[in-house]
Amino acid sequence: MSTRSWALLVRPSANRVYAASGPQLLEAEVGVLDATVLRGRLGDVGTENLGGVPYLTFSSDGDLDARAVAHLSTLSGIYALFEREGELLRPVDLAPLMMFDDDLLTIQKYVGKTNELFTRLLLNVTLWASDVGTDLVVGASRDRPIRVLDPLCGRGSSLHQALVYGCDADGLDVDGKDFDAHEAFLKTWLRRKRLKHTAEVIPVRREGERIGRRLEVAAARDKDAWKAKDVRRLGFVHADTTRAAEFFRPGAFDALVADAPYGVQHGARSGGRLDRSPLSLLEEALRGWVSLLRPGAALGLSWNTHVAPRDAVVRLLSAHGLEPLDSGPWRGFSHRVDASIERDILVARVPAG
């Protein structure tokens, strides 16, 4: 079987700092994809300038089948894929995973919004680490949709990316303004897209006490899918993340992603001071979060390493019975956001049982 060579053109980013980290992050992302769902099919992964433009290059034994191309098409940093033939590049048709239009993710603009490419990156590597990762590109053939939780969801970017992928998505956030902004945006987006859907906000009560609000959305990509009950759900609970276990069934989720407060201007503040550090927040919330994950599920966390060293986060996740993935390409995601934020990703698995 002959060795084939390939080149991925790195997707540009409007964020100059993130764009500078793009090739490094894509190299780590491809490494994780290869170590998980592609099961070591790629070799010689590295970054190379071709015509003065950065590409991610790699090799394979033989051609890439449709399933491998579909998985590569989900990469957050991919812009185009080429097979290398000497000095020439032959385009390969991508097969992006997109049940709903991705402007669901890109339209919203607000201060503090996480870069959309990073949102996708965090969700990708978390899903690939889970037992359902190999099924992501063929989600329609599953008995049920993959289910994702973001217990620190802000205005819902990660929920929207999960929905675009065809997953069911749930989130929690304690900020009522974010909840209201997300509700207004999503209802408007669904109407303008003329999608068949339902959307309502309902109070959540326990023993007569109101403990939160829940936005419940069901949507289908077209009328035929709606009639066939091929719908996807999005839920958003306005409540404190430390109470997450009060709102969902144990073992309900295949993946959990969370972008923790950075401990600087992006953190939750009270009276001008940061309310919780990332580590103290995790210590309070992790027991509830982990209880909501199925055996074989994965938890993906991003945070600012200036205020919480990676080793401390590894120890904390291990103490809650998770299995951190902390070697090889899994350690390649640290990157600068600004002078006070060095962001990293740590993924951990729930033991399969």
Side-chain angles (χ1 to χ4, degrees):
M1 186 178 294
S2 62
T3 299
R4 312 285 278 271
S5 296
W6 311 86
L8 294 176
L9 180 59
V10 182
R11 180 177 292 277
S13 172
N15 183 305
R16 178 183 56 82
V17 175
Y18 192 85
S21 302
Q24 165 224 322
L25 293 173
L26 180 57
E27 183 171 345
E29 189 179 8
V30 169
V32 166
L33 176 62
D34 186 49
T36 52
V37 300
L38 295 185
R39 304 186 186 283
R41 293 187 56 186
L42 310 183
D44 307 314
V45 178
T47 303
E48 186 176 343
N49 279 344
L50 302 175
V53 178
Y55 285 76
L56 192 286
T57 58
F58 60 91
S59 62
S60 66
D61 291 331
D63 202 3
L64 295 173
D65 59 21
R67 187 178 178 84
V69 171
H71 280 298
L72 288 165
S73 299
T74 66
L75 290 164
S76 68
I78 191 171
Y79 196 56
L81 173 63
F82 303 91
E83 183 175 4
R84 302 181 72 176
E85 298 177 349
E87 296 297 315
L88 302 179
L89 299 177
R90 181 176 65 82
V92 176
D93 288 339
L94 297 179
L97 181 61
M98 196 178 300
M99 176 172 280
F100 298 96
D101 292 344
D102 64 359
D103 61 1
L104 175 60
L105 196 71
T106 59
I107 287 176
Q108 287 192 100
K109 304 295 180 185
Y110 52 87
V111 175
K113 181 182 179 182
T114 301
N115 184 288
E116 293 99 346
L117 299 183
F118 182 78
T119 296
R120 185 171 172 181
L121 169 62
L122 176 60
L123 181 60
N124 281 349
V125 297
T126 306
L127 286 170
W128 294 336
S130 73
D131 283 354
V132 301
T134 55
D135 298 335
L136 180 61
V137 298
V138 288
S141 68
R142 291 172 50 84
D143 293 336
R144 59 170 180 81
I146 293 170
R147 195 169 179 196
V148 175
L149 173 67
D150 182 348
L152 298 168
C153 68
R155 294 196 188 180
S157 292
S158 60
L159 309 184
H160 298 163
Q161 180 63 69
L163 202 64
V164 167
Y165 275 173
C167 303
D168 283 348
D170 286 278
L172 292 94
D173 204 275
V174 73
D175 191 321
K177 292 181 180 179
D178 280 349
F179 180 93
D180 293 337
H182 176 263
E183 177 198 355
F185 165 75
L186 187 55
K187 287 181 175 179
T188 300
W189 184 86
L190 289 165
R191 286 195 302 269
R192 288 179 175 173
K193 290 290 180 178
R194 298 184 178 179
L195 296 175
K196 295 290 291 184
H197 70 278
T198 60
E200 62 176 339
V201 175
I202 57 176
V204 182
R205 301 182 184 277
R206 293 289 184 274
E207 300 178 351
E209 176 192 1
R210 177 170 168 166
I211 61 173
R213 295 180 290 163
R214 186 195 301 268
L215 171 66
E216 283 287 352
V217 174
R221 55 189 160 187
D222 54 41
K223 292 181 180 179
D224 290 340
W226 183 262
K227 290 178 182 178
K229 298 184 179 180
D230 181 14
V231 301
R232 293 298 181 269
R233 284 189 53 265
L234 183 147
F236 186 150
V237 177
H238 173 212
D240 194 301
T241 191
T242 60
R243 304 183 71 175
E246 300 179 35
F247 298 94
F248 306 102
R249 290 185 297 103
F253 294 95
D254 300 294
L256 182 154
V257 292
D259 189 17
Y262 294 157
V264 287
Q265 67 268 29
H266 303 288
R269 295 178 179 271
S270 176
R273 300 180 62 185
L274 190 68
D275 187 39
R276 294 190 182 104
S277 73
L279 284 178
S280 63
L281 173 61
L282 290 173
E283 287 169 351
E284 290 184 64
L286 267 171
R287 183 182 298 276
W289 292 0
V290 173
S291 73
L292 299 175
L293 295 174
R294 307 177 193 275
L299 179 151
L301 179 71
S302 60
W303 80 103
N304 180 13
T305 58
H306 287 325
V307 296
R310 184 180 179 93
D311 289 347
V313 179
V314 169
R315 289 193 298 270
L316 186 57
L317 296 187
S318 297
H320 282 81
L322 300 173
E323 299 172 347
L325 303 170
D326 194 35
S327 62
W330 297 101
R331 292 190 65 95
F333 295 111
S334 180
H335 63 284
R336 180 179 177 272
V337 176
D338 61 31
S340 58
I341 301 172
E342 181 76 15
R343 185 166 55 193
D344 203 356
I345 289 175
L346 179 62
V347 177
R349 278 181 52 90
V350 179

